[in-house]
Amino acid sequence: MTPYYDVVVAGGGTAGGPAATQAARLGARTLLVEKNGALGGTTTVAGVSLPGLFHAWGQQVIAGIGWEAVTRSVHEAGLRLPDFSRWDLPHHRLQVRVSPAVLAAVLDDTVVGSGAELLLHAIVAEASWDGSEWRLTLATKDGLHRIRAGAVVDCTGDADVVALAGLTRTTRARRQPGTIMVRLGGYDLAAIDVDAVQAAHDDAVRRGDLLPADLAHNPVAKFLRVRGENAIHVTGVQGGTSRDKTDAEVAGRRTLLRILRFLRRQPGLEQVVIESWAVETGIRESWTIDGHATITLDDYAGGRAWPDALSYSFYPIDVHRPDGDGIDIRPLAYGTLPTIPRAAMIPRGSSRLVVAGRAISGDQEASSAYRVQASSMAMGQSAGVMAARAVDRGTDVLDLPLDLIRDDLRAHGAILPGDVVVPPLPTKETS
């Protein structure tokens, strides 16, 4: 007989782990399917080991399962949390530095400890709704396996299950570049003539040995100071299919090799080494669902309080220019607290299907902010509640009472829109 699960979560990245854990903690028989050998997605496999933002204006706005895993991993690794009261610092100073290896191990323990079943090195290859339940085919190392599910949570980042089910997803002609995360070493910045290296860089770009976007249009001095990290742009990538992903991975590693060859020819950088690198080129945007609501820039930057909001999101507008020429960063006005509505997570024409993470319905500017890790974790936990409760009640996710969802989320440590009050902006008289 075909195995049955109440909830199947596709994708074990920043949204998928909390989604599966939450569904299982509510008593749903849950399966989490992940294509990689580790959970955590962008934070672990893609090397962006700085999840955020969990706080806004000195107040915590995202907690729950994702926060539990992140803070536990910080403790296990002997690291420290930022001073979140310093809301006036640049946003990157308030992101939480984690050890990817430790976080991956903690996520294993969190998911498996919840009672969810974990299947790595597998993907959903077919998906269809038969009117009462989902029929899925999993592609694994040992062949194709068919399963049934009461509800599905698509946390693939690319809305893969949505597409497999024949539902609409869209993409933009001009997409943000990807990034391959590295950490360089083997040099003393103080001993390097950065002006000479900059001149050599500019000449290499003119000759075509380097591309203008290779260093994300950063000055060489900044690139060397941060030792690479999140400062390499891979332009023209889509990343939403296996062929797209292959092209992105090859392009990312070619970019890395171009940079390494150039640097090792420069005085003082002859011994430069790659101390660490991410095995995946990170993709910022690929596909977006056609949701029952679409989050726009005005909605996000204006802090719209959606009536069906289930989580906060907080991050500046962060559009990495499609040609790789830097980043369009627009901090939010003081006191702004954007929210994520349920309707943006539900594809039109679907039944018992929820999407969490960067693929929810929104425009490019809004999604450049809500795509980040903490926001995705919060969305994943909300999706886990909706999927589990829809099966338990025998109804669709859009028909669930909002109070039921919110009560479950609060009971499992989440912070809900309306729970946070931002104090007035301090003035000289009050500070």
Side-chain angles (χ1 to χ4, degrees), residues 161-174:
V161 178
V162 171
L164 291 170
L167 300 168
T168 300
R169 62 178 185 173
T170 61
T171 190
R172 287 172 271 270
R174 287 176 52 79

Side-chain angles (χ1 to χ4, degrees), residues 37-375:
L39 298 175
T42 298
T43 318
T44 55
V45 181
V48 187
S49 53
L50 293 160
L53 292 169
F54 295 93
H55 293 70
W57 319 119
Q59 311 293 313
Q60 186 161 7
V61 294
I62 295 174
I65 294 168
W67 173 250
E68 292 169 11
V70 166
T71 52
R72 179 181 161 193
S73 78
V74 168
H75 174 74
E76 295 269 13
L79 302 173
R80 291 192 298 179
L81 295 171
D83 179 359
F84 296 116
S85 69
R86 290 295 312 277
W87 59 266
D88 55 318
L89 293 173
H91 70 278
H92 61 85
R93 296 276 300 276
L94 297 173
Q95 295 181 188
V96 182
R97 183 169 291 278
V98 299
S99 163
V102 173
L103 179 60
V106 167
L107 289 170
D108 289 342
D109 190 51
T110 300
V111 170
V112 175
S114 72
E117 183 178 334
L118 174 61
L119 181 63
L120 301 174
H121 300 290
I123 62 170
V124 176
E126 294 177 327
S128 62
W129 173 256
D130 71 2
S132 60
E133 62 185 20
W134 282 92
R135 302 281 177 157
L136 307 172
T137 300
L138 305 183
T140 74
K141 287 176 64 61
D142 49 310
L144 300 176
H145 297 274
R146 289 174 175 80
I147 62 173
R148 299 174 297 133
V152 173
V153 182
D154 187 337
C155 296
T156 61
D158 303 311
D160 289 341
V161 178
V162 171
L164 291 170
L167 300 168
T168 300
R169 62 178 185 173
T170 61
T171 190
R172 287 172 271 270
R174 287 176 52 79
R175 295 174 294 274
Q176 298 175 77
T179 285
I180 184 167
M181 296 287 290
V182 300
R183 178 72 178 176
L184 301 177
Y187 62 89
D188 178 6
L189 183 58
I192 296 170
D193 184 346
V194 293
D195 290 336
V197 179
Q198 182 68 58
H201 167 273
D202 297 344
D203 186 53
V205 170
R206 283 191 291 270
R207 294 195 312 271
D209 294 340
L210 289 175
L211 299 181
D214 284 353
L215 307 190
H217 292 259
N218 285 308
V220 166
K222 178 181 178 181
F223 182 83
L224 293 175
R225 185 174 67 253
V226 300
R227 299 188 176 272
E229 289 248 342
N230 192 6
I232 297 175
H233 274 165
V234 184
T235 58
V237 299
Q238 219 286 354
T241 68
S242 291
R243 174 50 56 195
D244 292 334
K245 288 284 285 184
T246 299
D247 292 344
E249 306 295 9
V250 171
R253 288 189 283 271
R254 283 177 177 166
T255 301
L256 182 56
L257 196 55
R258 280 197 302 271
I259 294 170
L260 181 64
R261 288 169 175 166
F262 164 75
L263 292 177
R264 290 178 67 87
R265 291 195 298 266
Q266 310 309 314
L269 291 166
E270 297 90 347
Q271 304 303 315
V272 68
V273 295
I274 298 172
E275 294 180 343
S276 63
W277 68 291
V279 296
E280 278 197 4
T281 295
I283 303 299
R284 289 186 172 85
E285 65 172 293
S286 56
W287 297 96
T288 299
I289 67 168
D290 176 24
H292 287 266
T294 297
I295 306 171
T296 67
L297 169 63
D298 288 343
D299 295 328
Y300 195 90
R304 179 175 178 179
W306 294 85
D308 60 341
L310 296 176
S311 64
Y312 285 114
S313 173
F314 187 73
Y315 209 74
I317 303 303
D318 185 51
V319 180
H320 292 242
R321 295 187 177 93
D323 61 2
D325 189 6
I327 311 171
D328 176 11
I329 298 180
R330 286 169 261 165
L332 302 177
Y334 181 83
T336 300
L337 292 176
T339 64
I340 303 294
R342 169 173 63 177
M345 301 170 65
I346 313 299
R348 291 183 186 274
S350 68
S351 297
R352 291 195 198 165
L353 175 61
V354 190
V355 176
R358 71 168 186 245
I360 70 167
S361 186
D363 66 22
Q364 186 177 60
E365 291 166 301
S367 66
S368 75
Y370 65 62
R371 65 178 170 80
V372 299
Q373 291 122 306
S375 299

